[in-house]
């Protein structure tokens, strides 16, 4: 049985301590005692410590949204994995399509970060997904297979088991246009099949694969009910306590 995981990806929002606190003061009581679901908040760097202080005695875990693969050195503006670990981060979001598209991150670059994150004991949430043109050209599976091969290159079985995959069709991110449960499940099952080929059936059956892209309280349950969907990575709807807590509850309701 895979424990569902709901990640709130705040992106470049709620980065002022008072804003982060306002959300979490409402959110924490709404999800307390929900131990059937892993709950992760991906906050901007400026509020990681604030969020950590607020959630440290709760069931909520802290994530950053980016890091560099080097340990230290002349990388102005960058943040190393061990810095994040030292202030209480347990997760790290890597390979988000916004990092890939807006900041030109390649599979190879993300692979280096992924290995570094694992080496310091951060649990990576790694995003993959196709653009609209790629889906319309019938290339979704080819794109996913390439991203999986290259982004997860040379990962041992143990490392793969510590990694969460987030399937996020790019055309569904922030657009209000969610993949249908059937469209999402088809790709989740495909990803699990690729993992079985690369590792083995047992490993493939244990890796958690989240769906991301316009998840909201109205569509979460139908998505999470699908056999191969293990929760969601949530952007817009993670900014409000009510909507994120409803999504956590949908994950709890659909435990397989
Ligand atoms: P969204 O973002 O829920 O606002 O579509 C999801 C994501 O980018 O992780």
């Amino acid at each position: 049985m895979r424990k569902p995981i709901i990640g709130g990806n705040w992106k470049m929002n709620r980065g002022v301590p008072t804003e982060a606190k306002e959300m979490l003061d409402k959110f924490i009581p709404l999800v307390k005692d929900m131990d059937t679901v892993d709950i992760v908040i991906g906050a901007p760097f400026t509020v990681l410590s604030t969020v950590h202080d607020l959630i440290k005695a709760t069931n909520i875990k802290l994530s950053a949204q980016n890091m560099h693969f080097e340990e230290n050195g002349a990388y102005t503006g960058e943040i190393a994995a061990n810095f994040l670990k030292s202030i209480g981060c347990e997760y790290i979001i890597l390979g988000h399509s916004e990092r890939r598209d807006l900041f030109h991150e390649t599979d190879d670059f993300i692979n280096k970060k992924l290995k570094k994150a694992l080496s310091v004991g951060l649990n990576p949430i790694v995003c993959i997904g196709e653009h609209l043109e790629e889906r319309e050209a019938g290339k979704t599976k080819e794109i996913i297979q390439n991203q999986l091969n290259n982004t997860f290159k040379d990962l041992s079985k143990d490392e793969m088991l510590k990694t969460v995959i987030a399937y996020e069709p790019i055309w569904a991110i922030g657009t209000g246009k969610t993949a249908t449960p059937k469209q999402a499940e088809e790709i989740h099952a495909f990803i699990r099949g690729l993992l079985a080929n690369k590792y083995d059936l047992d490993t493939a059956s244990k890796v958690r694969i989240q769906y991301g892209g316009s998840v909201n309280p109205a569509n979460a349950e139908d998505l999470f009910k699908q056999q191969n969907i293990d929760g969601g990575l949530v952007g817009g709807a993670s900014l409000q306590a009510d909507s994120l807590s409803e999504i956590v509850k949908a994950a709890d309701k659909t435990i397989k």
Side-chain angles (χ1 to χ4, degrees):
M1 206 179 82
R2 296 179 298 268
K3 189 172 184 185
I5 171 166
I6 300 297
N9 177 10
W10 283 358
K11 308 190 182 186
M12 203 170 77
N13 299 294
R14 297 215 171 264
V16 174
T18 48
E19 295 171 345
K21 186 173 183 319
E22 188 198 341
M23 189 280 179
L24 289 168
D25 281 346
K26 287 189 200 139
F27 181 64
I28 292 167
L30 295 174
V31 296
K32 109 175 171 3
D33 305 328
M34 301 266 316
D35 292 326
T36 51
V37 179
D38 281 336
I39 308 170
V40 178
I41 294 288
F45 291 131
T46 47
V47 292
L48 287 174
S49 290
T50 308
V51 173
H52 182 251
D53 286 347
L54 291 164
I55 66 177
K56 65 178 178 239
T58 74
N59 50 339
I60 303 166
K61 306 277 198 298
L62 181 63
S63 179
Q65 304 171 13
N66 189 26
M67 52 162 265
H68 197 275
F69 54 80
E70 293 291 354
E71 257 164 55
N72 40 47
Y75 300 97
T76 302
E78 290 295 327
I79 302 286
N82 59 310
F83 301 175
L84 298 172
K85 185 81 182 153
S86 75
I87 57 161
C89 279
E90 292 184 55
Y91 285 83
I92 175 80
I93 299 170
L94 296 175
H96 192 280
S97 61
E98 287 150 18
R99 302 275 346 147
R100 291 176 186 263
D101 286 352
L102 303 174
F103 302 100
H104 315 293
E105 292 195 10
T106 61
D107 286 339
D108 180 51
F109 191 67
I110 299 159
N111 178 254
K112 289 196 173 90
K113 296 186 186 200
L114 172 56
K115 286 187 189 145
K116 187 57 173 186
L118 286 161
S119 79
V120 305
L122 286 171
N123 300 299
I125 296 175
V126 184
C127 307
I128 55 177
E130 81 286 1
H131 291 95
L132 183 60
E133 315 81 80
E134 293 163 340
R135 174 161 284 261
E136 287 175 347
K139 289 193 176 149
T140 301
K141 289 187 177 165
E142 185 190 321
I143 296 291
I144 295 295
Q145 182 157 13
N146 283 339
Q147 286 180 339
L148 208 85
N149 284 342
N150 300 326
T151 307
F152 297 85
K153 192 161 169 264
D154 296 332
L155 235 58
S156 70
K157 200 189 284 188
D158 278 353
E159 290 175 323
M160 194 64 237
L161 287 167
K162 289 183 186 129
T163 302
V164 176
I165 300 177
Y167 169 58
E168 299 207 311
I170 297 162
W171 46 273
I173 296 178
T175 57
K177 200 175 167 204
T178 331
T180 63
K182 194 164 164 266
Q183 281 174 322
E185 171 62 14
E186 184 193 355
I187 302 304
H188 281 239
F190 177 68
I191 294 170
R192 214 174 285 293
L194 294 173
L195 293 173
N197 286 342
K198 185 171 173 190
Y199 300 96
D200 51 60
L201 273 175
D202 182 59
T203 308
S205 72
K206 288 179 178 149
V207 173
R208 294 186 291 181
I209 311 174
Q210 296 177 300
Y211 169 78
S214 297
V215 175
N216 62 41
N219 60 29
E221 197 177 322
D222 282 344
L223 286 160
F224 302 162
K225 256 196 244 164
Q226 306 300 311
Q227 201 191 332
N228 288 291
I229 301 186
D230 308 310
L233 187 58
V234 186
S238 75
L239 297 175
Q240 305 301 332
D242 286 347
S243 46
L244 189 59
S245 69
E246 288 306 314
I247 293 168
V248 172
K249 283 174 195 152
D252 174 62
K253 242 170 126 178
T254 52
I255 283 175
K256 294 139 202 146

